[in-house]
Amino acid sequence: MLKLSILLLCIYLFGSIPFSLLVGFMFGKDIRTEGSGNVGGSNLGRTCGKKAFVLGFLLDFSKGAIAVLVANYFGINPLLAGAIAILGHTFPIFLKFKGGKGVATAFGFVCAYSFWGAMFAITIFLIVLKISKYVSLSSIVAIGSYFLYTLFFQPAFYSLAIFGIFMFVTFMHRTNIQRIKAGNETKITWM
C-alpha cells in the first residue's frame, strides 16, 4: 500500500508540472495573462503559435504515456495511473489546483494503453480541427469517438473508464462549448 501511494503521488506530481506554462515562458509569454488565461495547450497555441503548441502538447502527452509505462512496470492498474496523471494536469498542486483541461495527457494515456485506438482518436482530432479550427471541439469529438471505438475493441470496464474521461473532459470544456454556441470561441489560425 505504501509503495502504491508513493507511485501514485509521483505520477500526480509529474502530471502537475505546468509544461504549457513553462513553454510559454520560453516563448516570452505568460499564458495565464493572455488569451483565455488557461495554462493548457490550446491557450499556449493561440498565444505562442504552432511550435509552442506542439512542444507543449508533447510534454503534456508524456504525462499520460509515462503514467501507463510506470504502472505496467510496477504492476499497478494503468487506468488508475492514467486517471491520476490527468487529475494532476487538471488540478496541479504547483498552480493552486488550476491547470489545463486534460486532453493531451488523456491522449498520452490512450496512446500508451492502446496505440491503434490513439491513432484513430488523433486522426479524428486532426480532421475536426482542420474543418472547425476549434481545438476544444476537436478534443471533445476525438475522445467521444475513441469511446465509441472502445465499445468494439476493448473490454467493457475500459470503455466505462474512457466514458468517464470523456465526461470529465467535456465538463472541463463547458465554457468553451458556451463560447462556440455564442460564436465567441477563438479559432486557431496556423492550421
Side-chain angles (χ1 to χ4, degrees):
M1 183 59 76
L2 178 61
K3 174 184 171 183
L4 175 62
S5 299
I6 292 172
L7 285 171
L8 294 179
L9 176 61
C10 290
I11 289 169
Y12 169 80
L13 291 174
F14 182 63
S16 289
I17 299 173
F19 285 128
S20 290
L21 178 64
L22 298 176
V23 171
F25 289 153
M26 288 171 52
F27 282 77
K29 294 187 178 182
D30 184 343
I31 62 174
R32 294 173 296 185
T33 61
E34 299 195 35
S36 67
N38 185 267
V39 294
S42 298
N43 194 42
L44 175 65
R46 280 193 293 267
T47 57
C48 299
K50 183 177 181 179
K51 290 181 180 179
F53 172 80
V54 170
L55 179 56
F57 178 88
L58 291 174
L59 288 168
D60 287 339
F61 176 97
S62 74
K63 296 175 181 179
I66 289 173
V68 173
L69 297 177
V70 168
N72 288 336
Y73 182 81
F74 287 101
I76 63 177
N77 190 323
L79 288 172
L80 176 61
I84 295 296
I86 293 168
L87 288 174
H89 175 79
T90 309
F91 304 107
I93 193 171
F94 304 124
L95 292 178
K96 299 179 180 178
F97 306 103
K98 296 179 181 178
K101 297 179 181 177
V103 174
T105 304
F107 276 147
F109 158 74
V110 169
C111 193
Y113 192 92
S114 170
F115 177 78
W116 291 113
M119 294 304 99
F120 171 78
I122 290 171
T123 300
I124 296 295
F125 174 86
L126 292 173
I127 290 170
V128 176
L129 184 62
K130 184 71 174 177
I131 295 169
S132 72
K133 307 298 184 188
Y134 292 129
V135 175
S136 54
L137 177 64
S138 304
S139 302
I140 293 168
V141 172
I143 294 176
S145 299
Y146 178 67
F147 163 67
L148 296 177
Y149 172 94
T150 67
L151 294 176
F152 296 96
F153 299 105
Q154 294 290 345
F157 76 90
Y158 181 78
S159 296
L160 184 61
I162 295 302
F163 180 73
I165 292 173
F166 167 67
M167 295 301 293
F168 178 76
V169 168
T170 301
F171 175 77
M172 295 304 296
H173 282 87
R174 62 194 181 281
T175 55
N176 302 83
I177 294 169
Q178 292 170 355
R179 287 196 296 267
I180 289 172
K181 289 180 178 178
N184 299 326
E185 177 79 333
T186 305
K187 294 185 177 184
I188 62 168
T189 58
W190 43 263
M191 179 134 185

